[in-house]
Amino acid sequence: MRVLRYSSGYKYQLKGDFTFQTQIRGHTVTLPFIRLTREGLLTIIDGYACDGPSGPTIDTPLFILGAFVHDALYQVIRAEELPHSMWRMADQELKNVIMGKIEHLKDETTWWKKVKYRAHRTAWSTRSLWIMYGLEKFRGSAALPRNKRLILEI
């Protein structure tokens, strides 16, 4: 009889590749669903799954975007392709990807998008304090190799 192997705990699955320029330089990483170039370009490959935002965070589109980048970087650290000491940089990239998306709205010309920009900017400035505090409190523990997802079998 064949054995089915799977992991649980994922909420979102990427449809299409996603790239994001990080500040993480000097490392080349190739994992099944994640690539990181020496220049810091992170590519998350179609089909990658993540559990979405954690902690005191609501699953809004902006935070789901941040979760994909953050989870991918933590997975690279868990796989020991980057040193664990880089967890703070991964946490900072969460902030960078969300702020980058919010700042992109700033250049919009319609009044509604300008209102949306101000609302996102205000909400993020408040929420980011809690999120970054929570990440600092756990000090990258989710990026430790012992926290790799279990592979279950049936």
Side-chain angles (χ1 to χ4, degrees):
M1 178 183 268
R2 292 186 169 162
V3 175
L4 172 75
R5 291 181 175 84
Y6 67 97
S7 293
S8 65
Y10 299 107
K11 286 201 262 185
Y12 303 104
Q13 187 174 23
L14 193 62
K15 300 298 181 188
D17 294 355
F18 176 77
T19 58
F20 177 71
Q21 183 62 52
T22 72
Q23 300 300 310
I24 299 170
R25 304 281 199 275
H27 302 273
T28 302
V29 176
T30 302
L31 294 176
F33 289 97
I34 305 165
R35 309 282 185 276
L36 181 65
T37 67
R38 290 187 74 69
E39 296 76 28
L41 185 65
L42 175 69
T43 303
I44 307 172
I45 308 296
D46 179 36
Y48 180 80
C50 82
D51 61 358
S54 304
T57 309
I58 302 165
D59 288 20
T60 61
L62 274 176
F63 284 90
I64 294 167
L65 168 66
F68 268 102
V69 170
H70 191 253
D71 286 8
L73 290 172
Y74 264 39
Q75 185 173 338
V76 169
I77 295 169
R78 272 193 303 276
E80 300 182 73
E81 295 288 333
L82 291 176
H84 183 262
S85 61
M86 296 189 80
W87 66 267
R88 276 195 176 98
M89 288 187 79
D91 290 355
Q92 186 61 44
E93 294 301 342
L94 167 70
K95 191 173 184 177
N96 293 346
V97 71
I98 292 171
M99 278 308 300
K101 194 66 170 179
I102 290 171
E103 288 303 314
H104 178 73
L105 293 172
K106 183 167 121 179
D107 299 328
E108 296 293 339
T109 55
T110 64
W111 70 271
W112 173 243
K113 292 197 176 177
K114 287 181 181 183
V115 168
K116 190 175 177 181
Y117 163 74
R118 287 188 189 104
H120 280 306
R121 186 99 170 118
T122 302
W124 171 246
S125 64
T126 304
R127 290 170 74 185
S128 69
L129 294 173
W130 285 104
I131 292 162
M132 299 312 283
Y133 170 78
L135 290 169
E136 181 67 31
K137 182 176 178 168
F138 288 101
R139 305 187 57 76
S141 61
L144 290 169
R146 70 172 182 249
N147 290 317
K148 288 181 183 174
R149 293 252 183 215
L150 294 176
I151 298 175
L152 307 169
E153 293 184 356
I154 296 177

